[in-house]
Amino acid sequence: MKKDFSALNFTEKEKICERIFISNGPYWHIYTDGTKMQNIFCCEQDFKTGMWCLAAALHLCEDVHLLTFELMGNHVHLILAGLREACIKTFDLFLARLQKAFPKRERAIDWSQFKMEILPIERLQTLRNEIIYANRNAFVANPDYTPTSYPWGGGCAYFCPWIQHLKTSSFGELPILTQRGILHTRDISQFSGLRAIDSMPFIPSFCDIKLGESMFRDARSYFNSLSRNAEAFSQIASRLKDSVFLTDEELYSVICSHISKEYSVKTPVQLSAQQKIDTARHMHFDYNASNQQLRRMLRLELSILEEIFP
C-alpha cells in the first residue's frame, strides 16, 4: 500500500523533492533590469496584456515549463525548466508579443532596454530560493500586496486549494474576434488549451504551479521560506543586481539579530553613533538596505548616510 505523502518524514519528503528536481531540469532564472527600463505595465489593462503575451509564449513552447513568474512595472522574473535555448526562445516570443500588443495601448515604449539575463539554477535549494524570491518581488516593492495576493505573478496560486474551485472557461470557447483581440493575432488555432477567468488568463493553464510546488516538502516549508531566508535573498539579489529585497519589518529583524550578536543590545536605539554607522555599513553591503531604510531603522541623519553611501 502506497504511503500517504503527508505521513512521510523529513528525509523521505526531501528525497522525493530531489528526485523530481533531477528529472525535470535544467532550470533557469530569466529576468530583466528594471533600473534601465521605463515603466511598461502602468495599469490593470497593461498587466492583463502582459499576462496574455506570456501565456501565449508558453503555450507555443511546450517543452518549456514555467514554475513561477512575476510581472513588475518595469521588469519581469521567470523561473523556467527546459533547455537553455528553448527558454531563451520563450522569452523572445514573449517580447515579440509585447512589442506587437503595446502599440495598440497608445503609449510609446523603447524596448531596446528590455533585455533578458539568464542564470542557471543547479541545486534544489537554490531553485526553492529563486521561486520564493520571484514570488516575493511585488510584496517587497509594494506594501499593498502579500506574496499570495499579487495578481500578476505565480505566487498567488501556490498552495491555494481554493484555486481549483474557480470557474474558468476554455479560451477556444470565447468569440473568435475576442480571442484575436486578446492575443493580437489572427491565428488563434494554437491557443485553445489556454483557460480564462473573466478577462485574464488562468495562471495554472500556462504556469506549471504543481511542478513548482513539488520542489517543496509541503505547504508549511514553502510558507516558512517566504519570510525566513534573508541570507539567501541577499545572495540572489547580488546575482541579479537587485536593489531592495527586504521589507522594513524584515530588515529591522535582521538588524536586531545582528546587533544582539555584535553588541549585546536588543534595539538600535541602544547603539552608539559609531555602532550605528558600522551597522549601517553591514546592512548596506550585505543586505542592500537603502539609505531611507537605514534612516528609519537606525535613526541616522540622511545627510550622513548619503555621504557614506553616495
Side-chain angles (χ1 to χ4, degrees), residues 223-258:
F223 182 79
N224 285 339
S225 297
L226 281 171
S227 58
R228 298 185 179 182
N229 215 350
E231 292 292 343
F233 302 150
S234 172
Q235 294 169 10
I236 296 171
S238 178
R239 285 211 305 165
L240 273 56
K241 299 179 177 64
D242 253 355
S243 52
V244 177
F245 59 91
L246 294 177
T247 65
D248 280 6
E249 291 81 1
E250 291 170 332
L251 183 64
Y252 187 77
S253 178
V254 171
I255 287 175
C256 287
S257 176
H258 172 73

Side-chain angles (χ1 to χ4, degrees), residues 123-181:
R123 296 174 55 247
L124 172 60
Q125 188 56 51
T126 305
L127 178 59
R128 289 170 174 164
N129 293 340
E130 301 276 351
I131 289 172
I132 293 289
Y133 189 88
N135 287 350
R136 280 171 44 93
N137 210 243
F139 155 71
V140 173
N142 191 329
D144 292 336
Y145 295 104
T146 72
T148 59
S149 70
Y150 188 66
W152 318 114
C156 62
Y158 265 64
F159 295 102
C160 291
W162 52 262
I163 203 166
Q164 62 184 311
H165 301 296
L166 296 176
K167 186 178 181 181
T168 65
S169 58
S170 169
F171 185 73
E173 294 174 358
L174 298 176
I176 290 177
L177 290 180
T178 300
Q179 294 181 52
R180 288 174 174 171

